[in-house]
Amino acid sequence: MKKLFLIIGAPGSGKTTDASIIAEQNSDTIVHYSTGDMLREEVASGSELGQTIESYISKGALVPLEIIVNTIVSAINNAPVDNVLIDGYPRSTEQMTAFDALVAKEDNIELASVIEVRVSEQVARDRILGRRAEAAPGEERSDDSEEVFNDRMKIYTDPLAEIQAFYTEKNLLKVISGERTLEEVVADMETFVKSKI
């Protein structure tokens, strides 16, 4: 039985870094994927599913939801260990409901928890835009990165309340504060994941 942990968080929350460190420190029991990695791996495998994905990517088209969901399930089933961390998914209520329906039919996969790495919009903004503060005067294009950040934040926050409510009702949502040092957040998340496996 594969145990799955979905990790969501705003841009700048550190969710990808947190998950990859935990997987690295527990490589014999935990593996970490991002959705992009899984699509790339499926394409590289040369499977029928991979060829279908490639046909969309090569045209610059968005990969349809059903294919993304099938790719995630395929990656989980083929994971080398039984505990899988996936970050940055679901990003929309459509992704959430499609995934939920599919996992319900899979005997081999149990969704153990959805972990939200929570940071305030201000902290996320400072982390993402703080990277440009080091640019020399005249080099920075603050309106650009500010706009990009605002768009990414909106994409994350728009469906968030629905996603939180959905998983809270299933007693699966675990909120971890991302506004601490990397070590503290990782330790907290790692303890929680291990308590579930």
Side-chain angles (χ1 to χ4, degrees):
M1 175 66 96
K2 296 283 171 80
K3 287 208 173 178
L4 174 63
F5 296 82
L6 298 177
I7 301 169
I8 61 172
S13 62
K15 60 183 180 297
T16 308
T17 309
D18 302 334
S20 53
I21 291 172
I22 291 168
E24 225 167 83
Q25 291 173 351
N26 301 277
S27 55
D28 50 342
T29 52
I30 300 173
V31 65
H32 162 245
Y33 298 118
S34 72
T35 328
D37 293 341
M38 289 187 280
L39 290 169
R40 283 186 289 275
E41 278 183 26
E42 196 63 51
V43 170
S45 78
S47 69
E48 203 173 314
L49 182 59
Q51 288 167 4
T52 309
I53 294 166
E54 177 63 30
S55 72
Y56 286 97
I57 295 174
S58 61
K59 290 195 211 88
L62 280 176
V63 179
L65 178 59
E66 186 187 331
I67 293 178
I68 290 181
V69 171
N70 284 329
T71 304
I72 293 175
V73 169
S74 164
I76 296 165
N77 280 325
N78 294 317
V81 293
D82 284 342
N83 305 294
V84 183
L85 309 179
I86 294 178
D87 79 85
Y89 192 92
R91 288 173 192 262
S92 67
T93 48
E94 294 80 17
Q95 287 186 352
M96 172 184 79
T97 44
F99 188 69
D100 192 63
L102 199 75
V103 168
K105 292 190 297 224
E106 289 280 326
D107 298 333
N108 190 35
I109 301 172
E110 177 200 342
L111 178 54
S113 183
V114 176
I115 302 170
E116 179 193 340
V117 183
R118 189 172 290 176
V119 294
S120 69
E121 184 160 341
Q122 192 54 53
V123 166
R125 183 181 301 276
D126 292 348
R127 284 183 182 170
I128 296 279
L129 302 182
R131 296 173 198 163
R132 69 176 169 92
E134 285 116 47
E139 270 181 23
E140 55 183 303
R141 294 168 51 184
S142 56
D143 52 331
D144 269 9
S145 33
E146 191 86 39
E147 262 174 52
V148 169
F149 171 79
N150 289 340
D151 287 348
R152 285 177 64 199
M153 198 68 192
K154 187 171 167 25
I155 288 167
Y156 175 69
T157 52
D158 277 357
L160 184 60
E162 267 187 84
I163 291 172
Q164 288 166 330
F166 182 84
Y167 290 121
T168 299
E169 201 174 297
K170 292 177 171 286
N171 205 16
L172 288 173
L173 187 69
K174 165 74 174 173
V175 177
I176 288 179
S177 166
E179 298 189 3
R180 297 169 295 168
T181 66
L182 180 63
E183 291 73 23
E184 288 172 309
V185 178
V186 166
D188 198 358
M189 194 188 291
E190 185 172 10
T191 303
F192 173 72
V193 168
K194 285 181 165 173
S195 75
K196 293 280 185 185
I197 61 182

